[in-house]
């Protein structure tokens, strides 16, 4: 007989049974510092931090946003976890941190086993690739809060940096070169606008193919995983390459994200045309008749992270990027001025 | 002119402007270990941990669940933040940890300034009372994902414990006394069932008053803030009182939460009638014709946390509880048996 609780929309038995798979799914999403076991009230992570003179924890919390709707429409749930972890890694990497552990939250109306398993597979893969331990999580069944099939996916990352090596932008100087690191697509920003243009206005479907966008379906293009630049930044550190600052280009684009690391009196000029904007952005702009200004405010426009470095460090960064198979573009420079970004 | 992005449902300007209030709202939600400033890509927290031989970070992530719907119906958003922080503090307190810092996520369809300000006020109050620093957060505008007026609220806490002092239940012994710490009400569990019975079946309103439940409205009763037992557990530690284990009683009740800290071969007997079950639970049970077994599986039934201690430590715990104004009940004992809870 169904319990009253299950009739109210919460299935404790299913919640229990899907959790039984977790230890196998998460085997590779661990690190030697992890103590304890899955199912404890809290995740345990040793904070020895050998070699750090004055260790500082760096943390960030984020969600996947409405990119989730593309995953739901495509019925493919095993990439959004990677998006989330990579997004979080980038947020703390721009401060100089090494990511250590991660926690996830899945909010849903009705728990569905295959969706849950897909999400967790993606999280596990993302953690393993980023060398991050998944130490905790919560799955909330909230009947009536989410549309059938929908869910929200949220994560928190914690990493560590030596206090002296915190990148807070204070080393950025006039004349520094601004380098753009190529993105894989929209990453996790601007999906509400992209969906409105592509699906509401153009009446396209996630499975539609557009000639000028190549052979992949729109859904595949829109689900491209957010790139994690942290391993690349770590490589630059290990090579003692002079990096003055970095900004993760997410919601708000260049305009809102670059000033987060600029000291007063410094601005940035970004040269239009100094990198190739991926076709998906041009397509959205034309189809939605969106101004260039707004495109740059909403989307990353092909640049997922910017680095600020003295000109003499640029060749070494470009060499390291080639080795890491990351595209790098010289897109501008740091100038005297108000703490803002000017497209020139 | 409204931008295309704002027409798609995302208001970056409002997001920007509500964030401008944050430094003032969050002034007291800090600690001396916090470095950096609000608006950085990551929160910074010094990990010096003086006096810890082998510091271990303890983390937990959780949401408020459908208690949020009561807040929405009452138009009162400044308590759910406290619920969340206190819930998270309890999760790591049962492992012996001291809470350090917290991050929050608000997911919403359309950002509303007064709702956002209320939530943040509650978070700030909860952090200040728990001596926890709010170091980061994310507010996601996800048009179409949430009903108008609805939001999800999620948080992550990170604390620290010395490795030797981790409470993982391994010190719990046959014959230990099980003490229940009184809850303030439903805390943050069972709201989907409570709402179904009270609002769908009985057609009551959040503002209704029920004679047998006293002078407060149903909404006020259901919004009672989740108690934070961490300061009490800290007090027990500082008094060197012998505490063998603790479990936070959340979703799944005694049945699912106590076994999380029981070693194989140990069970727990809980004596019915050994504490006074608050009237709200009796009312829900009778109105919803819910079995006693299910009530204990869904709700905390008036016990928000259980402690396991040797009998000789009990008087000192009771004395400390009186000083902390926490109700404590002798509700059972640890027995040989399968890792489960038996109501006797």
């Amino acid at each position: 007989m169904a319990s009253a609780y299950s009739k109210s929309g919460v299935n404790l038995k299913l919640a229990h049974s899907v959790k039984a798979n977790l230890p196998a799914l998460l085997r590779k999403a661990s690190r030697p510092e992890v103590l304890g076991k899955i199912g404890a009230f809290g995740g345990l992570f040793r904070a020895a931090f050998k070699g750090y003179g004055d260790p500082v924890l760096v943390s960030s919390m984020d969600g996947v946003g409405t990119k989730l709707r593309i995953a739901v429409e495509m019925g493919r749930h095993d990439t959004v976890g990677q998006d989330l972890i990579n997004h979080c890694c980038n947020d703390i990497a721009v401060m100089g941190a090494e990511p250590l552990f991660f926690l996830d939250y899945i909010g849903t109306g009705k728990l569905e086993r295959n969706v849950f398993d897909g999400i967790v597979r993606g999280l596990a893969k993302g953690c393993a690739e980023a060398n991050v331990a998944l130490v905790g999580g919560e799955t909330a069944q909230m009947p009536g809060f989410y549309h059938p099939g929908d869910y929200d996916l949220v994560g928190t990352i914690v990493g560590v940096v030596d206090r002296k090596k915190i990148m807070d932008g204070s080393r950025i100087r006039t004349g520094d070169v601004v380098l753009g690191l190529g993105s894989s697509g929209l990453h996790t920003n601007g999906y509400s606008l992209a969906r409105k243009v592509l699906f509401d206005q153009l009446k396209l479907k996630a499975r539609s193919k557009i000639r000028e966008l190549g052979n992949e379906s729109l859904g595949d293009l829109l689900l491209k995983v957010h790139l994690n630049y942290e391993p690349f930044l770590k490589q630059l550190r290990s090579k003692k390459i002079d990096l003055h600052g970095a900004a993760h280009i997410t919601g708000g684009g260049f305009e809102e994200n670059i000033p987060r690391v600029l000291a007063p009196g410094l601005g940035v000029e970004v040269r239009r045309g100094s990198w190739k904007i991926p076709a998906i952005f041009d397509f959205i702009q034309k189809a939605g008749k969106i101004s260039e200004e707004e495109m740059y405010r909403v989307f990353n426009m092909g640049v997922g992270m910017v680095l600020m470095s003295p000109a003499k460090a640029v060749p070494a960064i470009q060499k390291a990027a080639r080795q890491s198979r990351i595209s790098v573009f010289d897109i501008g420079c740091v100038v005297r001025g108000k703490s803002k970004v000017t497209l020139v």
Side-chain angles (χ1 to χ4, degrees), chain A:
Chain A
M1 210 185 78
S3 70
Y5 204 35
S6 110
K7 283 185 208 152
S8 78
V10 177
N11 192 335
L12 283 180
K13 274 204 181 150
L14 180 59
H16 213 73
S17 106
V18 296
K19 283 179 196 164
N21 279 338
L22 284 178
L25 282 169
L26 298 180
R27 201 173 301 130
K28 288 184 182 169
S30 193
R31 288 175 54 122
E33 299 96 324
V34 174
L35 306 172
K37 56 183 200 296
I38 291 166
F41 283 97
L44 298 175
F45 193 95
R46 283 185 74 190
F49 306 138
K50 275 169 199 157
Y52 285 80
D54 188 353
V56 174
L57 299 173
V58 189
S59 53
S60 182
M61 186 162 187
D62 225 305
V64 180
T66 57
K67 187 173 192 171
L68 292 169
R69 186 55 62 72
I70 315 288
V72 169
E73 275 161 29
M74 294 290 283
R76 215 169 83 201
H77 305 282
D78 59 353
T79 57
V80 286
Q82 293 174 72
D83 282 309
L84 183 58
I85 284 158
N86 293 352
H87 183 129
C88 287
C89 282
N90 288 338
D91 272 346
I92 65 167
V94 294
M95 305 196 75
E98 174 196 358
L100 301 171
F101 64 88
F102 185 85
L103 302 96
D104 76 284
Y105 168 90
I106 304 169
T108 179
K110 189 169 178 293
L111 189 63
E112 288 174 51
R113 178 188 291 270
N114 70 319
V115 176
F116 178 85
D117 284 349
I119 297 169
V120 174
R121 269 201 314 279
L123 289 167
K125 188 173 183 213
C127 281
E129 289 179 358
N131 191 25
V132 164
L134 208 165
V135 299
E138 165 73 8
T139 303
Q141 295 184 69
M142 296 170 66
F145 266 71
Y146 294 92
H147 299 282
D150 266 8
Y151 53 89
D152 203 355
L153 177 60
V154 183
T156 302
I157 200 151
V158 178
V160 67
V161 62
D162 213 341
R163 189 172 183 180
K164 279 184 200 158
K165 293 177 182 166
I166 293 172
M167 284 210 298
D168 59 0
S170 58
R171 299 185 62 229
I172 298 171
R173 298 282 174 266
T174 308
D176 279 354
V177 175
V178 177
L179 297 169
L181 305 184
S183 68
S184 61
L186 276 63
H187 281 184
T188 50
N189 284 99
Y191 281 84
S192 292
L193 180 52
R195 283 168 48 228
K196 186 176 181 238
V197 170
L198 300 171
F199 303 132
D200 296 353
Q201 293 175 359
L202 295 192
K203 312 281 182 205
L204 295 167
K205 303 284 174 203
R207 302 199 176 273
S208 306
K209 290 186 183 181
I210 314 292
R211 186 187 307 204
E212 55 255 68
L213 298 181
N215 269 325
E216 290 177 291
S217 73
L218 210 45
D220 287 329
L221 282 171
L222 292 173
L223 280 185
K224 292 265 180 220
V225 170
H226 197 129
L227 295 183
N228 178 11
Y229 304 104
E230 189 279 328
F232 176 59
L233 265 61
K234 189 178 185 175
Q235 200 195 330
L236 298 184
R237 278 199 302 278
S238 75
K239 293 184 175 179
K240 315 253 185 238
I241 292 173
D242 201 8
L243 183 60
H244 284 177
H248 187 196
I249 307 304
T250 59
F254 291 150
E255 178 181 323
E256 287 203 7
N257 289 293
I258 295 179
R260 293 167 82 175
V261 297
L262 290 179
L266 292 182
V268 155
E269 285 182 359
V270 170
R271 288 187 309 277
R272 288 183 182 86
S274 56
W275 75 99
K276 180 151 174 40
I277 294 172
I280 182 85
F281 298 109
D282 286 331
F283 186 80
I284 292 170
Q285 180 174 9
K286 275 176 205 149
K289 301 189 179 64
I290 301 165
S291 71
E292 186 189 39
E293 189 193 352
E294 178 154 26
M295 287 299 293
Y296 275 95
R297 204 184 304 129
V298 173
F299 298 107
N300 68 58
M301 302 299 276
V303 173
M305 186 176 281
V306 298
L307 310 181
M308 274 70 83
S309 269
K312 65 176 190 297
V314 170
I317 294 175
Q318 285 168 327
K319 187 180 168 196
R322 277 193 300 276
Q323 288 166 352
S324 297
R325 293 181 186 183
I326 284 177
S327 318
V328 59
F329 320 104
D330 178 342
I331 66 168
C333 58
V334 178
V335 296
R336 251 181 251 273
K338 280 189 184 169
S339 181
K340 65 169 192 171
V341 177
T342 313
L343 288 173
V344 294

